[in-house]
Amino acid sequence: MPTNNGTTRPKAELDVADQLGHELVRLMRLVTKAKSQVSKQGPDGIERAAYAILFTLIHEGPQRTSKLAEMMHAEISTISRQSSSLVQHGLVERQADPEDGRACLLAPTTEGLRVFEENRKQRNQWLAEVLADWPEEDRRNLNKLFNRLNSGIEKSLPHFADPDSATSGKGAPA
């Protein structure tokens, strides 16, 4: 893949990138497998996928359904269905949009925050178990390197995944 100045990266860099790509695909598959080990619905009857909406609302603040769909790279109908379930379970509420009274924003409720924190604790327990036999320095380095990798990905999303991404600035990793 050419660099920003049009030159091709050295083979050694591309080999390391290929190894990283392989490990990232492996990681994604393992995370998907781990998630599937947990039932498709949580103990509260909510689809696991709907928790991503709750996560986004907690970290990004109240959002319109259309903005959530854009942020999560999902169809509005999917976000609408899942957010309706979250509203029915009292984890998310609809609020008037202060910028446009005809529209509404979705926002986490106190119960939504509690459920989110409970799920977060369970995830953290599992990850702590996975890393239990790692030296503390390795665990800290892993966090630093993941943060660095994520920051780099955020700064340079690939344009080859989506033909429209060159003009829209959006692209999804392959």
Side-chain angles (χ1 to χ4, degrees):
M1 179 177 188
T3 61
N4 289 341
N5 63 11
T7 63
T8 303
R9 298 242 178 244
K11 182 176 180 342
E13 278 187 38
L14 294 175
D15 288 346
V16 169
D18 186 55
Q19 289 173 335
L20 176 61
H22 172 78
E23 291 302 327
L24 287 173
V25 168
R26 182 176 168 215
L27 173 67
M28 292 166 59
R29 285 183 182 145
L30 289 168
V31 167
T32 300
K33 183 177 182 177
K35 284 182 176 183
S36 72
Q37 298 294 350
V38 178
S39 64
K40 291 193 186 281
Q41 293 195 345
D44 42 22
I46 308 235
E47 287 180 62
R48 284 277 163 207
Y51 284 109
I53 294 172
L54 185 58
F55 176 90
T56 302
L57 293 173
I58 287 170
H59 289 281
E60 301 295 331
Q63 301 291 327
R64 288 185 181 187
T65 302
S66 58
K67 181 68 174 173
L68 276 170
E70 179 183 321
M71 291 169 76
M72 298 176 71
H73 307 285
E75 296 294 324
I76 290 178
S77 61
T78 301
I79 299 298
S80 181
R81 178 179 48 79
Q82 291 173 341
S83 61
S84 290
S85 176
L86 291 168
V87 169
Q88 288 172 357
H89 283 84
L91 304 179
V92 168
E93 65 184 359
R94 290 185 175 91
Q95 302 174 341
D97 185 340
E99 294 178 15
D100 181 354
R102 299 168 296 171
C104 73
L105 299 175
L106 296 168
T109 63
T110 302
E111 178 64 3
L113 290 168
R114 185 197 68 73
V115 167
F116 172 80
E117 284 303 321
E118 183 60 35
N119 278 285
R120 184 179 184 177
K121 284 178 191 174
Q122 289 176 5
R123 181 204 62 202
N124 291 348
Q125 287 291 330
W126 173 66
L127 288 172
E129 183 180 320
V130 168
L131 300 175
D133 62 347
W134 288 37
E136 182 177 348
E137 184 179 353
D138 287 355
R139 292 185 303 234
R140 292 189 187 285
N141 284 336
L142 178 66
N143 281 329
K144 287 178 191 173
L145 292 171
F146 257 119
N147 179 284
R148 190 169 162 190
L149 177 64
N150 286 333
S151 295
I153 290 170
E154 286 170 344
K155 289 178 187 173
S156 182
L157 288 174
H159 298 295
F160 55 82
D162 177 4
D164 296 329
S165 65
T167 55
S168 68
K170 296 179 192 170

